[in-house]
Amino acid sequence: MRLDKFLGSCGLGTRKQIKEFVKNGMVSVDGEIAKKPEMAIDPTVNEILFSGESLTANYKEFRYYLLNKPQGVVSATRDNHDTTVLDLIDTGYDNNLAPVGRLDKDTEGLLIITNDGQLSHRLLSPKKHVEKEYEVHTKDPVSDADLEKLEAGVDIGDDEPTLPAKAFMEGDILHLIIHEGRFHQVKRMLEAVGNEVVFLKRIRMGGLVLDPELEPGDYRELTDDELNLLK
Ligand code: URA
């Protein structure tokens, strides 16, 4: 990787500023003042200091975060009007993080944020059938007959009905486990049984469960065990 690209990914500034930093001798690579912004470096091998502070000590090529997405925030990387999930993540590195899939603006809960495009692709691939579990608060009570319909698959206006799912009640809250990711799927499934979602929260994706310690808006890095569950 080029030194200037790495420095950019650390959020140090524009290309022009980074050029200046290097020109002014503020960047060193393995103890030597760097002379060329375009020099090749490997942040997993070289020790890179900026103004004497190590940029590589905590460097990892891939980052994985578990966010409890709050309501009112959009699952995008950039947006002109709304706060995005990436606005909530402050890592010190600007290394192409993106949310794994989307939750609606008014949906809360588990969202993985990573720059590991391969993992993201695998988790979202319809062929992999990764389970997503939602807690669904509904306007009207959900009957046993509704549960059966939701499990069997309902017509939500697409070419095909939804695939078989799991649906059960925990008190007044419906748990719906689906392994597709169609647009507004849960809301449309509830509409299909004459009901309405009033609050939606994702609590699990594959083997990864939402950490109850995380308040909406909080996030933390995934542990190695959690990452292995996803891989
Ligand atoms: N289904 C929905 O309707 N909305 C979400 O945010 C996620 C699943």
Side-chain angles (χ1 to χ4, degrees), residues 156-177:
I156 59 172
D158 292 344
D159 291 344
E160 301 287 335
T162 55
L163 289 174
K166 286 179 208 147
F168 59 93
M169 300 303 293
E170 203 176 62
D172 290 342
I173 300 172
L174 165 68
H175 282 244
L176 191 57
I177 302 173

Side-chain angles (χ1 to χ4, degrees), residues 102 104 132 134 150 153-154 156 158 160-165 176-192 197 200:
R102 284 168 185 272
D104 295 337
K132 280 146 291 206
Y134 293 89
L150 293 168
V154 284
I156 59 172
D158 292 344
E160 301 287 335
T162 55
L163 289 174
L176 191 57
I177 302 173
I178 57 175
H179 49 87
E180 302 171 277
R182 302 196 207 173
F183 185 63
H184 294 327
Q185 180 162 346
V186 174
K187 290 174 185 163
R188 287 157 72 207
M189 287 175 78
L190 269 293
E191 264 169 37
V197 172
L200 186 58

Side-chain angles (χ1 to χ4, degrees), residues 12-204:
L12 289 189
T14 62
R15 261 188 124 112
K16 203 169 153 210
Q17 287 169 319
I18 284 167
K19 232 177 161 168
E20 282 296 302
F21 293 148
V22 176
K23 203 170 135 201
N24 294 336
M26 293 170 80
V27 182
S28 74
V29 178
D30 294 337
E32 303 263 336
I33 302 285
K35 298 208 175 60
K36 292 188 172 160
E38 68 276 13
M39 80 180 277
I41 54 105
D42 179 348
T44 62
V45 174
N46 300 122
E47 157 97 303
I48 297 164
L49 305 187
F50 175 69
S51 278
E53 299 241 5
S54 177
L55 297 174
T56 40
N58 296 318
Y59 181 82
K60 287 184 214 151
E61 184 181 8
F62 294 121
R63 300 264 165 178
Y64 306 90
Y65 298 95
L66 168 60
L67 168 71
N68 183 355
K69 179 193 166 299
Q71 289 187 303
V73 169
V74 292
S75 302
T77 49
R78 268 196 212 119
D79 193 279
N80 288 335
H81 301 286
D82 291 307
T83 305
T84 72
V85 288
L86 283 197
D87 293 331
L88 304 176
I89 311 274
D90 179 15
T91 67
Y93 292 91
D94 168 25
N95 42 8
N96 298 318
L97 289 172
V100 177
R102 284 168 185 272
L103 291 175
D104 295 337
K105 187 173 169 183
D106 58 359
T107 300
E108 196 175 287
L110 182 153
L111 191 64
I112 300 164
I113 312 277
T114 184
N115 57 348
D116 183 345
Q118 277 190 0
L119 178 77
S120 181
H121 187 75
R122 273 206 306 278
L123 290 171
L124 296 175
S125 164
K127 286 188 202 133
K128 300 281 180 199
H129 296 289
V130 175
E131 284 191 343
K132 280 146 291 206
E133 179 165 356
Y134 293 89
E135 274 182 13
V136 193
H137 298 230
T138 53
K139 185 160 169 247
D140 300 313
V142 179
S143 66
D144 287 345
D146 293 337
L147 292 178
E148 276 175 32
K149 284 186 205 158
L150 293 168
E151 290 205 330
V154 284
D155 178 0
I156 59 172
D158 292 344
D159 291 344
E160 301 287 335
T162 55
L163 289 174
K166 286 179 208 147
F168 59 93
M169 300 303 293
E170 203 176 62
D172 290 342
I173 300 172
L174 165 68
H175 282 244
L176 191 57
I177 302 173
I178 57 175
H179 49 87
E180 302 171 277
R182 302 196 207 173
F183 185 63
H184 294 327
Q185 180 162 346
V186 174
K187 290 174 185 163
R188 287 157 72 207
M189 287 175 78
L190 269 293
E191 264 169 37
V193 294
N195 209 325
E196 195 184 310
V197 172
V198 293
F199 176 72
L200 186 58
K201 179 175 175 178
R202 183 156 68 191
I203 57 165
R204 183 169 64 81

